[in-house]
Amino acid sequence: MSHTIRNKTKLVSRVRRLKGQLDAVERALDDEAACGAVLQLLASIRGALNGLTGEVMEDHLREHILAAETESDRQHAVDELSAVLKTYVK
Amino acid sequence: MSHTIRNKTKLVSRVRRLKGQLDAVERALDDEAACGAVLQLLASIRGALNGLTGEVMEDHLREHILAAETESDRQHAVDELSAVLKTYVK
Amino acid sequence: MSHTIRNKTKLVSRVRRLKGQLDAVERALDDEAACGAVLQLLASIRGALNGLTGEVMEDHLREHILAAETESDRQHAVDELSAVLKTYVK
Amino acid sequence: MSHTIRNKTKLVSRVRRLKGQLDAVERALDDEAACGAVLQLLASIRGALNGLTGEVMEDHLREHILAAETESDRQHAVDELSAVLKTYVK
């Protein structure tokens, strides 16, 4: 899984940043912050999550589909992407 | 901000569940899990985040817009929702 | 429904432009254009549809919710927006 | 482009249905229908457009990426899908 190794550090730090953003939502709820502020935090989390997902999809296309070692690996990777796309484009 | 108090416990537990789901992504990256598995985890996080956001938007509509105490509060709450909607419907 | 009257011309011309974009998709399919070209046309239609929808939502917030003449009208308009938001943020 | 030929009739009829749905939006605007009704029509158009797009993406994955005749064709088809995905997952 050379693909995951290559980007692992960068992806893990994006995941950690997302958890930090969720901590901010939890604090905002605890502090009874304005609902509008909570909505803004959630909107930026959505942006960051989409950015992370787009990057993993791109890597999947390049490393697991384009650079697949066997036809069977490629078929499997296409099935995985297809299943995930169905949840995004619906 | 009676609104936030009323739902606070439920919303905080949803936020914590989201952080747990992100922990699973981090573990999957550390374990060099299949890219497809990471994509599936990210897709379910997106669903959970949207569910949480939809609930906060709904509460915002009911508590801060419909039940606003003054016209100025209502105007402010409409501006907040409008700003957030622009990031979702684009 | 002064709201709809005010923006009607502009909204109708956006709807017609969308139909023109769909005509281009139909021609691309008839000409057996590259699948990638069809996907790009569909992506720009999505952008234009979201832009139109965002504008109608914004008008709905301003004219039917904020400027509602009665509490019952406002309640009804909030219910309508809420129902539609559920389909966007899910 | 055997791919496009195979599904052409079905895809064209979906595009025509979308244009019919946009005609309904235009009529609703002309009739000064309730804004909420227009929002509902737009939400169902979004669903139909996403359904059509999902189908074209799926075909693209199967026919142009998985079943590509040359590596260069596959590379090109991956680039096309990647460009379009960036506009969906952002």
Side-chain angles (χ1 to χ4, degrees), chain D residues 34-77:
Chain D
C35 194
V38 173
L39 284 174
Q40 275 180 352
L41 288 169
L42 291 172
S44 44
I45 290 172
R46 179 174 181 261
L49 179 65
N50 281 344
L52 171 62
T53 304
E55 187 146 337
V56 178
M57 279 185 183
E58 178 74 19
D59 288 0
H60 190 78
L61 266 175
R62 303 284 163 200
E63 305 296 329
H64 293 284
I65 292 178
L66 197 57
E69 284 179 22
T70 68
E71 273 312 296
S72 150
D73 284 357
R74 179 173 291 131
Q75 171 80 60
H76 182 64

Coordinates of all heavy atoms in Angstrom, one line a residue, chain D residues 34-77:
Chain D
A34 N -46.3 29.8 -5.3 CA -45.6 30.0 -4.1 C -44.2 29.7 -4.2 O -43.8 28.8 -4.9 CB -46.3 29.2 -3.0
C35 N -43.4 30.5 -3.6 CA -41.9 30.3 -3.6 C -41.5 28.9 -3.1 O -40.6 28.3 -3.6 CB -41.4 31.4 -2.6 SG -39.6 31.7 -2.8
G36 N -42.3 28.4 -2.1 CA -42.0 27.1 -1.5 C -42.2 26.0 -2.6 O -41.4 25.1 -2.7
A37 N -43.2 26.2 -3.5 CA -43.4 25.2 -4.5 C -42.3 25.3 -5.5 O -41.8 24.2 -6.0 CB -44.7 25.5 -5.3
V38 N -41.7 26.5 -5.8 CA -40.6 26.6 -6.7 C -39.4 25.9 -6.1 O -38.7 25.1 -6.8 CB -40.3 28.1 -7.0 CG1 -39.0 28.2 -7.8 CG2 -41.4 28.7 -7.8
L39 N -39.2 26.1 -4.8 CA -38.0 25.4 -4.1 C -38.2 23.9 -4.2 O -37.2 23.2 -4.3 CB -38.0 25.9 -2.7 CG -37.4 27.3 -2.4 CD1 -37.5 27.7 -1.0 CD2 -35.9 27.3 -2.9
Q40 N -39.4 23.4 -4.0 CA -39.6 21.9 -4.1 C -39.2 21.4 -5.5 O -38.6 20.4 -5.7 CB -41.0 21.6 -3.7 CG -41.1 21.4 -2.2 CD -42.6 21.0 -1.8 OE1 -43.5 21.0 -2.7 NE2 -42.8 20.7 -0.6
L41 N -39.7 22.1 -6.6 CA -39.4 21.7 -7.9 C -37.9 21.7 -8.1 O -37.3 20.8 -8.7 CB -40.1 22.7 -8.9 CG -41.6 22.6 -9.1 CD1 -42.1 23.8 -9.9 CD2 -42.0 21.3 -9.8
L42 N -37.2 22.8 -7.6 CA -35.7 22.9 -7.8 C -35.0 21.7 -7.1 O -34.1 21.2 -7.6 CB -35.2 24.2 -7.3 CG -35.6 25.4 -8.2 CD1 -35.2 26.7 -7.5 CD2 -35.0 25.4 -9.6
A43 N -35.6 21.3 -5.9 CA -35.0 20.2 -5.2 C -35.1 18.9 -6.0 O -34.2 18.1 -6.0 CB -35.6 20.1 -3.8
S44 N -36.3 18.7 -6.6 CA -36.4 17.5 -7.4 C -35.6 17.5 -8.6 O -35.1 16.4 -9.1 CB -37.8 17.1 -7.6 OG -38.6 18.1 -8.0
I45 N -35.4 18.7 -9.2 CA -34.5 18.7 -10.4 C -33.1 18.4 -10.0 O -32.3 17.7 -10.7 CB -34.6 20.2 -11.0 CG1 -35.9 20.4 -11.7 CG2 -33.4 20.4 -12.0 CD1 -36.2 21.8 -12.1
R46 N -32.7 18.9 -8.8 CA -31.3 18.6 -8.3 C -31.2 17.1 -8.1 O -30.1 16.5 -8.5 CB -31.1 19.3 -7.0 CG -29.8 19.0 -6.3 CD -29.6 19.8 -5.1 NE -28.3 19.6 -4.4 CZ -28.2 18.8 -3.4 NH1 -29.2 18.1 -2.9 NH2 -27.0 18.7 -2.9
G47 N -32.2 16.4 -7.6 CA -32.1 14.9 -7.5 C -32.0 14.3 -8.8 O -31.2 13.3 -9.0
A48 N -32.8 14.7 -9.8 CA -32.7 14.1 -11.1 C -31.4 14.3 -11.8 O -30.9 13.4 -12.5 CB -33.9 14.6 -11.9
L49 N -30.9 15.5 -11.6 CA -29.6 15.9 -12.3 C -28.5 15.0 -11.6 O -27.6 14.5 -12.3 CB -29.3 17.4 -12.1 CG -28.0 17.9 -12.7 CD1 -28.0 17.7 -14.2 CD2 -27.7 19.3 -12.2
N50 N -28.5 14.9 -10.3 CA -27.5 14.1 -9.6 C -27.6 12.6 -10.1 O -26.6 11.9 -10.3 CB -27.7 14.2 -8.1 CG -27.0 15.4 -7.6 OD1 -26.3 16.1 -8.3 ND2 -27.4 15.8 -6.4
G51 N -28.9 12.1 -10.2 CA -29.0 10.7 -10.7 C -28.4 10.5 -12.1 O -27.7 9.5 -12.3
L52 N -28.7 11.5 -13.0 CA -28.1 11.4 -14.3 C -26.6 11.5 -14.3 O -25.9 10.7 -14.9 CB -28.7 12.6 -15.2 CG -28.1 12.8 -16.6 CD1 -28.3 11.6 -17.5 CD2 -28.7 14.0 -17.2
T53 N -26.1 12.4 -13.5 CA -24.6 12.6 -13.4 C -24.0 11.3 -12.8 O -22.9 10.9 -13.3 CB -24.3 13.8 -12.5 OG1 -24.9 14.9 -13.1 CG2 -22.8 14.0 -12.5
G54 N -24.6 10.8 -11.8 CA -24.0 9.5 -11.2 C -24.0 8.4 -12.2 O -23.0 7.7 -12.2
E55 N -25.0 8.3 -13.1 CA -25.0 7.3 -14.1 C -23.9 7.5 -15.1 O -23.2 6.6 -15.5 CB -26.4 7.3 -14.8 CG -26.5 6.1 -15.7 CD -27.9 5.6 -15.8 OE1 -28.7 5.8 -14.8 OE2 -28.3 5.0 -16.8
V56 N -23.7 8.8 -15.5 CA -22.6 9.0 -16.5 C -21.3 8.8 -15.9 O -20.4 8.2 -16.5 CB -22.7 10.5 -17.1 CG1 -21.6 10.8 -18.1 CG2 -24.1 10.7 -17.8
M57 N -21.1 9.2 -14.6 CA -19.8 8.9 -13.9 C -19.5 7.4 -13.8 O -18.4 6.9 -14.1 CB -19.9 9.4 -12.5 CG -19.6 10.9 -12.4 SD -19.5 11.4 -10.6 CE -19.3 13.2 -10.8
E58 N -20.6 6.6 -13.5 CA -20.4 5.2 -13.4 C -20.0 4.6 -14.7 O -19.1 3.8 -14.8 CB -21.8 4.6 -12.9 CG -21.8 3.1 -12.8 CD -21.1 2.6 -11.6 OE1 -20.9 3.3 -10.7 OE2 -20.7 1.4 -11.6
D59 N -20.7 5.0 -15.8 CA -20.3 4.5 -17.1 C -18.9 4.9 -17.5 O -18.2 4.2 -18.1 CB -21.3 5.1 -18.2 CG -22.7 4.5 -18.1 OD1 -22.9 3.7 -17.2 OD2 -23.6 4.9 -18.9
H60 N -18.6 6.2 -17.1 CA -17.2 6.6 -17.4 C -16.2 5.7 -16.7 O -15.2 5.3 -17.3 CB -17.1 8.1 -16.9 CG -15.8 8.7 -17.3 ND1 -15.6 9.2 -18.6 CD2 -14.6 9.0 -16.7 CE1 -14.4 9.8 -18.7 NE2 -13.8 9.6 -17.5
L61 N -16.4 5.4 -15.4 CA -15.5 4.5 -14.7 C -15.4 3.2 -15.3 O -14.3 2.6 -15.5 CB -16.1 4.3 -13.2 CG -15.5 5.2 -12.1 CD1 -16.3 4.9 -10.8 CD2 -14.0 5.0 -11.9
R62 N -16.6 2.6 -15.7 CA -16.6 1.2 -16.3 C -16.0 1.2 -17.7 O -15.2 0.4 -18.1 CB -18.0 0.7 -16.4 CG -18.8 0.6 -15.0 CD -18.3 -0.5 -14.2 NE -18.7 -0.3 -12.8 CZ -18.2 -0.8 -11.7 NH1 -17.2 -1.7 -11.8 NH2 -18.6 -0.5 -10.5
E63 N -16.5 2.1 -18.6 CA -16.2 2.0 -20.0 C -14.9 2.7 -20.4 O -14.2 2.2 -21.3 CB -17.4 2.6 -20.8 CG -18.8 2.0 -20.5 CD -18.8 0.5 -20.9 OE1 -18.2 0.1 -21.8 OE2 -19.6 -0.2 -20.2
H64 N -14.7 3.9 -19.8 CA -13.5 4.7 -20.3 C -12.3 4.5 -19.4 O -11.2 4.7 -19.8 CB -13.9 6.1 -20.3 CG -14.9 6.4 -21.4 ND1 -14.6 6.4 -22.7 CD2 -16.3 6.6 -21.3 CE1 -15.7 6.7 -23.4 NE2 -16.7 6.8 -22.6
I65 N -12.5 4.1 -18.1 CA -11.4 3.9 -17.3 C -11.0 2.4 -17.2 O -10.0 1.9 -17.6 CB -11.6 4.5 -15.9 CG1 -11.6 6.0 -16.0 CG2 -10.5 4.1 -14.9 CD1 -11.9 6.8 -14.8
L66 N -12.0 1.6 -16.7 CA -11.7 0.2 -16.5 C -11.5 -0.5 -17.9 O -10.5 -1.3 -18.0 CB -12.9 -0.5 -15.8 CG -12.7 -1.9 -15.2 CD1 -11.5 -1.8 -14.2 CD2 -13.9 -2.4 -14.5
A67 N -12.3 -0.2 -18.9 CA -12.2 -0.9 -20.2 C -11.4 -0.1 -21.2 O -11.6 -0.3 -22.4 CB -13.6 -1.2 -20.7
A68 N -10.6 0.8 -20.8 CA -9.8 1.6 -21.7 C -8.9 0.7 -22.6 O -8.4 -0.3 -22.1 CB -8.9 2.6 -20.9
E69 N -8.8 1.1 -23.8 CA -8.0 0.3 -24.8 C -6.5 0.5 -24.6 O -5.7 -0.4 -24.8 CB -8.4 0.5 -26.2 CG -9.8 -0.2 -26.5 CD -10.3 0.0 -27.9 OE1 -9.5 0.4 -28.8 OE2 -11.5 -0.1 -28.1
T70 N -6.1 1.7 -24.3 CA -4.7 2.0 -24.1 C -4.5 2.6 -22.8 O -5.4 3.2 -22.2 CB -4.1 2.9 -25.2 OG1 -4.7 4.2 -25.0 CG2 -4.4 2.4 -26.6
E71 N -3.2 2.6 -22.3 CA -2.9 3.3 -21.0 C -3.1 4.8 -21.2 O -3.5 5.5 -20.2 CB -1.4 3.0 -20.6 CG -1.2 1.8 -19.8 CD -2.2 1.7 -18.7 OE1 -2.2 2.5 -17.8 OE2 -3.0 0.7 -18.7
S72 N -2.8 5.3 -22.4 CA -3.0 6.7 -22.6 C -4.5 7.1 -22.5 O -4.8 8.2 -22.0 CB -2.3 7.1 -23.9 OG -2.9 8.2 -24.5
D73 N -5.3 6.3 -23.1 CA -6.8 6.6 -23.0 C -7.2 6.5 -21.5 O -8.0 7.4 -21.1 CB -7.6 5.5 -23.7 CG -7.6 5.6 -25.2 OD1 -7.0 6.6 -25.7 OD2 -8.1 4.8 -25.9
R74 N -6.7 5.6 -20.8 CA -7.1 5.4 -19.4 C -6.6 6.7 -18.6 O -7.4 7.2 -17.8 CB -6.5 4.2 -18.8 CG -6.8 4.0 -17.3 CD -6.4 2.6 -16.7 NE -7.2 1.6 -17.3 CZ -6.7 0.5 -17.9 NH1 -5.4 0.3 -17.9 NH2 -7.5 -0.4 -18.4
Q75 N -5.4 7.1 -18.8 CA -4.8 8.3 -18.2 C -5.7 9.5 -18.4 O -6.1 10.2 -17.5 CB -3.4 8.5 -18.7 CG -2.8 9.9 -18.3 CD -2.2 9.8 -16.9 OE1 -1.4 9.0 -16.6 NE2 -2.8 10.7 -16.0
H76 N -6.1 9.6 -19.7 CA -7.0 10.8 -20.1 C -8.3 10.7 -19.4 O -8.8 11.7 -18.9 CB -7.1 10.7 -21.6 CG -7.9 11.9 -22.1 ND1 -7.5 13.2 -22.0 CD2 -9.2 11.9 -22.8 CE1 -8.4 14.0 -22.6 NE2 -9.4 13.3 -23.0
A77 N -8.9 9.5 -19.3 CA -10.2 9.4 -18.7 C -10.2 9.6 -17.2 O -11.1 10.2 -16.6 CB -10.8 8.0 -19.0

